[in-house]
């Protein structure tokens, strides 16, 4: 009996040790380990994979943001990284922060700044393209500069940004703020993408966000895309071929590019705007929205945008369905409110107060255009030398529609 009693504590200790190992290695376990950053320095983790965030060889050393991410990448569990109020400037020779495993990164709203220092992009999410899930909350991602894509963030996984600001980043090619790569998923909730830019000139698209071929983008929760510039297409957002973007409860304002100052939707791409405001954007064509693919606007206001040539509010050569929209106070040389040379249906919409210099002030339907107006009002639009309301050079069908005071 005495021998049995002496063995009992050892059995308990062994069982406890096994439980700790199993808990540490359980795949898919949410928030199995919390890593708390305690230093703004930019240092690597000393022993990645040992469960300790420490930039020194000894335990208890500083836990930097880079060390926490490196440690998280090496662990089989899903970690949470807590990043307190501070500015975390990237100075390490390895450049950007590569995130290669599922993780959540939580900052302090308005007080946690992750700064690319103008030397590289800030975050490279899932650079190996294995399909990881990452959530970033309450941080500002700023001053990234990538020679190719994604000055602030390049994403190849499943990325969610909540109450995040992506600002003052630049890219040599596409996606000044964020580049969402082929087949990746990006969700923005209560997030601001502002004052990002691509290099000037042709082939440099998506000043704020570039959603690449096959990418999926969703925005909502009072998100804002503002004051971004692109050298060519999509000052605020470029939605590329075969990609899908749903913009809900979002403000798109003050962006600029050659085509699609606010948003550009490429051929064979799907762009949906719901309960959204597109205001004060500017472009050569399509000040607010330029659509070459499939466009759906519902309960959306397009106002105060400007185009040098055509489509101050909306420029369309693809397929567009507009329902319950207000398009007002948009100027252009022709088609101040809308220029369409594709297929467009306007249901229960209002086109008012737009202006054309020499062409139509309200709507101009080109020779290849098919325009259907149902239950809509086109009124109080002006033109300096053309038709104030609707100029039709294609096919027009109007039902229960009022065209007046133009």
């Amino acid at each position: 009996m005495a021998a049995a009693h002496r063995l009992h504590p050892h059995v308990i200790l062994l069982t406890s040790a096994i439980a700790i190992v199993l808990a540490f290695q359980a795949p898919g376990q949410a928030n199995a380990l919390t890593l708390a950053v305690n230093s703004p320095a930019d240092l690597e983790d000393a022993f990645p994979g040992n469960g300790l965030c420490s930039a020194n060889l000894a335990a208890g050393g500083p836990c930097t943001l880079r060390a926490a991410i490196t440690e998280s990448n090496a662990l089989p569990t899903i970690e949470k990284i807590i990043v307190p109020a501070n500015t975390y400037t990237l100075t390490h020779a390895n450049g950007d922060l590569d995130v290669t495993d599922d993780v959540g990164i939580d900052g302090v709203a308005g007080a946690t700044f992750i700064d690319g220092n103008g030397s590289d992009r800030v975050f490279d999410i899932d650079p190996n393209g294995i399909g990881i899930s990452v959530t970033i909350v309450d941080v500002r991602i700023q001053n990234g500069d990538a020679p190719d894509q994604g000055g602030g963030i390049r994403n190849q996984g499943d990325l969610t940004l909540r109450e995040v600001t992506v600002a003052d980043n630049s890219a040599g090619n596409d996606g000044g703020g964020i580049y969402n790569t082929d087949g990746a998923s990006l969700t923005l909730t209560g997030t601001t993408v502002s004052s990002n830019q691509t290099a000037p000139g042709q082939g440099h698209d998506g000043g704020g966000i570039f959603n690449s071929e096959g990418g999926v983008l969703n925005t909502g929760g009072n998100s804002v895309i503002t004051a971004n510039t692109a050298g060519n297409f999509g000052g605020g957002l470029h939605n590329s071929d075969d990609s899908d973007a749903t913009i809900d409860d979002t403000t798109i304002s003050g962006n600029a590019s050659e085509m699609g100052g606010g948003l550009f939707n490429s051929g064979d791409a799907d762009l949906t705007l719901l309960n959204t405001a597109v205001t004060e954007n500017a472009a050569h064509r399509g000040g607010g929205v330029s659509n070459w693919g499939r466009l759906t606007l519902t309960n959306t206001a397009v106002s105060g945008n400007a185009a040098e040539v055509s489509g101050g509010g909306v420029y369309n050569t693809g397929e567009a369905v507009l329902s319950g929209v207000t398009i007002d106070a948009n100027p252009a040389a022709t088609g101040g409110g809308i220029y369409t040379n594709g297929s467009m249906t306007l249901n229960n919409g209002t086109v008012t107060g737009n202006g054309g210099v020499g062409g139509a002030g309200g709507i101009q339907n080109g020779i290849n255009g098919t325009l259907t107006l149902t239950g809509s009002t086109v009124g109080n639009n002006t033109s300096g030398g053309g038709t104030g309301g609707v100029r039709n050079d294609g096919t027009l069908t109007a039902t229960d529609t009022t065209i007046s005071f133009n």
Side-chain angles (χ1 to χ4, degrees):
M1 294 293 293
H5 284 296
R6 285 195 296 270
L7 287 173
H8 188 62
H10 298 284
V11 173
I12 293 173
L13 290 173
L14 181 60
T15 303
S16 300
I18 293 172
I20 291 169
V21 172
L22 290 176
F24 187 75
Q25 294 182 343
Q29 183 176 351
N31 302 330
L33 183 65
T34 296
L35 304 172
V37 174
N38 59 25
S39 169
D42 190 18
L43 302 170
E44 282 282 11
D45 189 62
F47 291 108
N50 69 349
L52 300 174
C53 175
S54 176
N56 288 345
L57 296 180
C63 178
T64 69
L65 175 59
R66 186 179 298 273
I69 290 173
T70 303
E71 185 64 32
S72 173
N73 289 341
L75 295 172
T77 50
I78 301 174
E79 287 70 49
K80 176 173 284 188
I81 298 174
I82 304 300
V83 190
N86 214 323
T87 298
Y88 301 84
T89 302
L90 304 188
T91 59
H92 198 280
N94 287 348
D96 60 9
L97 300 168
D98 290 353
V99 180
T100 62
D101 198 15
D102 298 344
V103 70
I105 300 174
D106 290 7
V108 177
T112 298
F113 303 90
I114 304 175
D115 194 305
N117 199 29
S119 60
D120 201 345
R121 75 174 51 85
V122 181
F123 281 103
D124 200 353
I125 306 295
D126 197 9
N128 300 318
I130 61 175
I132 67 171
S133 294
V134 175
T135 299
I136 302 176
V137 182
D138 287 335
V139 304
R140 179 183 172 99
I141 297 166
Q142 63 185 29
N143 297 329
D145 188 358
D148 42 21
Q149 303 98 3
I153 301 171
R154 180 170 63 186
N155 174 49
Q156 297 190 62
D158 183 349
L159 174 62
T160 297
L161 303 179
R162 292 204 305 266
E163 308 296 335
V164 168
T165 296
V166 181
D168 301 315
N169 303 283
S170 60
N173 290 333
D174 302 323
I178 304 172
Y179 186 89
N180 195 46
T181 63
D182 301 3
S185 176
L186 174 64
T187 301
L188 276 58
T189 303
T191 287
T192 297
V193 179
S194 66
S195 302
N196 303 284
Q197 63 180 358
T198 68
Q202 195 168 14
H204 302 143
D205 306 326
I209 303 171
F210 188 98
N211 190 32
S212 192
E213 295 181 11
V216 176
L217 168 66
N218 291 281
T219 76
N222 198 29
S223 289
V224 177
I225 301 173
T226 185
N228 304 284
T229 58
N232 202 19
F233 293 164
L237 165 67
H238 183 287
N239 196 41
S240 193
D241 293 351
D242 299 316
S243 57
D244 191 325
T246 299
I247 311 300
D248 188 6
D249 188 20
T250 297
T251 298
I252 316 287
S253 68
N255 304 284
S257 67
E258 283 294 304
M259 180 77 75
L263 307 102
F264 178 82
N265 191 44
S266 191
D268 205 27
D270 291 281
L271 175 61
T272 300
L273 273 65
L274 307 165
N275 310 307
T276 286
V278 182
T279 64
E280 299 181 354
N281 304 282
H284 195 63
R285 288 183 172 87
V289 183
S290 180
N291 175 54
W292 293 10
R294 292 175 292 273
L295 172 68
T296 302
L297 270 62
T298 304
N299 298 331
T300 287
V302 181
S303 62
N305 306 282
E308 295 175 12
V309 178
S310 51
V314 178
Y315 179 93
N316 174 58
T317 59
E319 303 171 18
V321 177
L322 286 59
S323 302
V325 301
T326 298
I327 299 176
D328 71 294
N330 303 285
T334 183
I338 298 172
Y339 177 89
T340 180
N341 202 27
S343 170
M344 176 175 285
T345 300
L346 178 63
N347 298 314
N348 302 313
T350 300
V351 181
T352 183
N354 303 283
V357 175
I363 304 174
Q364 180 149 343
N365 188 36
I367 59 174
N368 296 315
T370 300
L371 175 62
T372 302
L373 306 176
T374 303
S376 296
T377 298
V378 182
N380 296 302
N381 302 283
T382 61
S383 176
T387 303
V390 179
R391 173 175 171 172
N392 177 46
D393 295 322
T395 302
L396 170 63
T397 302
T399 304
D400 297 328
T401 292
T402 300
I403 302 174
S404 63
F405 299 107
N406 298 288

